[in-house]
């Protein structure tokens, strides 16, 4: 079950870090969404602009991979890039227990949850990105360049 305190802490962390870096962003509440397609529709954005955040178990260590909402993760490429033995999607239960965030609410800020953040280079095709910020019903929209500057994800490729 989602822990309101931890999800609120994730949102507050993101807002604090963005504010500390002087980043302009838009935050808004909306009806709960679970998928990238639902999020794009409710935000009135294209799906490619959505920063989909997926938690992976890489050799028994959790990491975050961020990619455009309309793209699929290439696990083989990710595995080779990481020089890992075993890479798989983390289970719903593992994600919720480790991050305190429900699937669909995981933000592209692994730093907010103690996870290393990796990023698919296709996300850089966007001027702006939008994402759920710890809750399925709370989103943030910001410039892609600001996201990279603040989170400093490792680009896969």
């Amino acid at each position: 079950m989602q822990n309101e305190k931890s999800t609120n802490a994730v949102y507050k962390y993101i807002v604090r870090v963005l504010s500390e870096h002087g980043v302009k962003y838009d935050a808004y509440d909306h009806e709960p969404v679970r998928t990238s397609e639902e999020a794009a529709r409710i935000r009135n954005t294209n799906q490619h602009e959505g920063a989909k955040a997926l938690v992976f178990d890489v050799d028994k260590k959790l990491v975050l991979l961020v990619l455009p909402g309309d793209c699929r993760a290439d696990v083989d490429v990710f595995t080779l890039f990481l020089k890992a033995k075993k890479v798989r999607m983390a289970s719903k239960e593992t994600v919720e227990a480790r991050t305190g965030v429900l699937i669909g609410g995981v933000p592209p800020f692994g730093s907010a949850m103690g996870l290393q953040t990796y990023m698919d280079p296709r996300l850089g095709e966007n001027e702006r990105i939008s994402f759920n910020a710890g809750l399925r019903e709370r989103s943030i929209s910001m410039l892609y360049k600001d996201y990279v500057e603040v989170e400093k994800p490792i680009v896969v490729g």
Side-chain angles (χ1 to χ4, degrees), residues 132-146:
N132 283 355
L135 294 162
R136 292 176 177 168
E137 60 274 356
R138 181 169 288 159
S139 289
I140 288 178
S141 176
M142 63 185 291
L143 291 175
Y144 164 80
K145 70 175 185 63
D146 290 337

Side-chain angles (χ1 to χ4, degrees), residues 3-144:
N3 179 331
E4 184 66 33
K5 185 176 180 183
S6 64
T7 56
N8 197 34
V10 168
Y11 176 76
K12 286 180 178 181
Y13 171 89
I14 295 168
V15 169
R16 179 179 55 78
V17 168
L18 295 179
S19 296
E20 286 173 356
H21 283 84
V23 172
K24 292 183 181 178
Y25 63 91
D26 297 313
Y28 44 99
D29 295 328
H30 50 74
E31 69 183 61
V33 294
R34 288 185 49 115
T35 67
S36 297
E37 186 176 37
E38 290 172 350
R41 188 171 44 252
I42 200 81
R43 294 180 194 135
N44 198 27
T45 61
N46 71 60
Q47 202 172 339
H48 196 70
E49 180 182 306
K52 177 167 52 178
L54 304 174
V55 179
F56 281 88
D57 183 332
V58 177
D59 296 336
K60 299 186 179 185
K61 179 183 176 190
L62 296 184
V63 301
L64 192 71
L65 176 64
V66 181
L67 61 156
D70 61 347
C71 295
R72 296 181 63 104
D74 188 328
V75 178
D76 292 335
V77 168
F78 197 37
T79 302
L80 286 172
F81 178 80
L82 296 172
K83 297 179 175 86
K85 290 183 175 107
K86 186 173 183 183
V87 174
R88 63 181 177 85
M89 289 284 297
S91 71
K92 171 184 175 264
E93 295 78 19
T94 298
V95 171
E96 292 174 13
R98 176 65 170 80
T99 68
V101 178
L102 292 175
I103 298 292
V106 178
F109 284 82
S111 59
M113 302 166 290
L115 304 177
Q116 176 64 60
T117 303
Y118 293 89
M119 183 187 76
D120 185 307
R122 295 174 290 182
L123 192 64
E125 296 167 358
N126 295 294
E127 183 177 348
R128 293 188 71 80
I129 61 168
S130 299
F131 53 89
N132 283 355
L135 294 162
R136 292 176 177 168
E137 60 274 356
R138 181 169 288 159
S139 289
I140 288 178
S141 176
M142 63 185 291
L143 291 175
Y144 164 80

